Amino acid sequence: MFPHHREREQPIFSARAHVFQIDPNTKRNWIPASKHAVTVSFFYDSNRNVYRIISVGGTKAIINCTITPSMTFTKTSQKFGQWADSRANTVYGLGFATEQQLHQFSDKFKEVKDAARLAREKSQDKELANTALSIAAPQDLSDELQSPPVMCVNGPEDKMFRSQSADITLASEKERIKKMLSEGSICEMNLEAELFTLQDSNSKLVAALHEANANVEQWKKQLMAYQEETERLRDQVSDLEAHGGHGPSDMLKDELTQSLEELEALLKAKDEEIHILQSKKVEYHQMEHQRDEAIHRLQEMEMRHSELERRVQNTEQNLNNSLEERDRMDNEIQRAIEILDIKIFDLNDLRQSLVKLLDK
């Protein structure tokens, strides 16, 4: 950060966390941006009325993100959160040491986002007010300068006012469509964040499922070995019972019975673990279904976003056509004024000639 930025930007909140960025190729895996925990700070620029998140590792800026009202901070686990930055075309992830630090950062992010939204609304209201004043002032001045000749050409003046009314209507329609487009972008960002979360969870579940399948195969082999050992011990117990006997053989029988019970308990525990893994497999399929739904919703939002962009382009084209029409009407009015001036000059010349003729 440059020195003049230091003078106008003030830190309002800081926390230490491990910084990650999403892999731009796979959009699934996280790439560490710092080798250890670094300071992540919220800054406020009072001159530009802008909020930023900045983190510096050594001499390199790891995070330099301007907060907009469309951003959303998502908690993906007890100590990890993420948000998407469309300007940088990336997703940042933060890993905190405690759950409390994550909650504090999330609350501050929401607070700063609301403040950025209010700042943008105030800025837009100020720009609209300045625009209205800039439109009204030249119009009043032109009325004062051209009031005598315009009284003779009321038809073009009415056309000019109608053109300006249509211009204002098109401008308001353009602002409304831009607002709809901004809302669509917000929904699209939320869906992208949700999709990244689902993809991250999906990759974890896939890894867990592969590990579970490998463990199941190993446990099946162990189960078969335990079953064989159990059958062998049962045969030994049966042989001991058939031969009868007392003393040491009774003690051996008790030991074999105890070993048999332990093996049966171990077999029962392994069966329960297999059932748990099977239920996790069902959850994995459900997560895949949710991911497909999120992708479908994202595609629908992209189509809606394209439609809104097309409507904005059409509105801008109509606005340009209206401005051209207004310029054409202004030119016609100017030509009419010039013709009227010529006619008035001719009439005045004719009047003077008549006066001279009457004097003679």
Side-chain angles (χ1 to χ4, degrees), residues 47-58:
N47 292 341
R48 296 189 302 161
N49 205 10
V50 171
Y51 294 86
R52 293 199 301 167
I53 299 178
I54 297 175
S55 179
V56 179

Side-chain angles (χ1 to χ4, degrees), residues 161-176:
F161 285 141
R162 285 197 297 271
S163 176
Q164 290 177 351
S165 300
D167 188 7
I168 295 174
T169 302
L170 288 172
S172 61
E173 179 68 15
K174 181 180 177 181
E175 291 296 329
R176 185 178 67 82

Side-chain angles (χ1 to χ4, degrees), residues 8-161:
R8 70 187 185 186
E9 285 190 330
Q10 298 295 329
I12 56 177
F13 179 81
S14 297
R16 292 190 64 82
H18 291 272
V19 181
F20 300 85
Q21 285 188 5
I22 201 70
D23 189 345
N25 297 323
T26 63
K27 297 294 184 182
R28 292 183 179 180
N29 302 324
W30 290 105
I31 300 176
S34 61
K35 296 181 180 179
H36 50 79
V38 295
T39 301
V40 182
S41 303
F42 288 87
F43 282 82
Y44 173 63
D45 187 345
S46 58
N47 292 341
R48 296 189 302 161
N49 205 10
V50 171
Y51 294 86
R52 293 199 301 167
I53 299 178
I54 297 175
S55 179
V56 179
T59 59
K60 180 182 178 183
I62 301 175
I63 301 176
N64 187 2
C65 173
T66 300
I67 300 177
T68 62
S70 61
M71 289 183 178
T72 301
F73 185 82
T74 305
K75 302 176 185 176
T76 56
S77 65
Q78 293 182 352
K79 299 180 182 179
F80 191 88
Q82 66 185 45
W83 79 95
D85 185 359
S86 58
R87 294 183 179 179
N89 193 22
T90 188
V91 179
Y92 294 105
L94 297 179
F96 295 88
T98 63
E99 187 176 358
Q100 181 181 2
Q101 292 179 355
L102 174 61
H103 289 320
Q104 290 176 352
F105 188 92
S106 177
D107 294 340
K108 180 58 65 174
F109 192 99
K110 185 176 183 300
E111 177 184 343
V112 170
K113 184 182 74 170
D114 293 339
R117 177 178 56 81
L118 293 176
R120 174 175 289 185
E121 291 175 355
K122 290 180 181 179
S123 177
Q124 290 177 350
D125 293 340
K126 186 176 179 181
E127 289 177 1
L128 290 175
N130 293 335
T131 304
L133 290 174
S134 64
I135 293 174
Q139 182 62 33
D140 294 339
L141 183 60
S142 62
D143 289 343
E144 293 177 2
L145 293 175
Q146 299 180 3
S147 56
V150 171
M151 291 176 64
C152 300
V153 284
N154 290 331
E157 183 188 22
D158 293 338
K159 291 181 180 179
M160 181 176 66
F161 285 141

Side-chain angles (χ1 to χ4, degrees), residues 320-337:
N320 293 330
N321 294 336
S322 299
L323 292 175
E324 293 176 357
E325 180 67 18
R326 187 180 69 178
D327 294 337
R328 189 180 64 81
M329 293 302 300
D330 290 341
N331 294 331
E332 291 182 359
I333 291 171
Q334 188 65 31
R335 284 198 300 270
I337 292 171

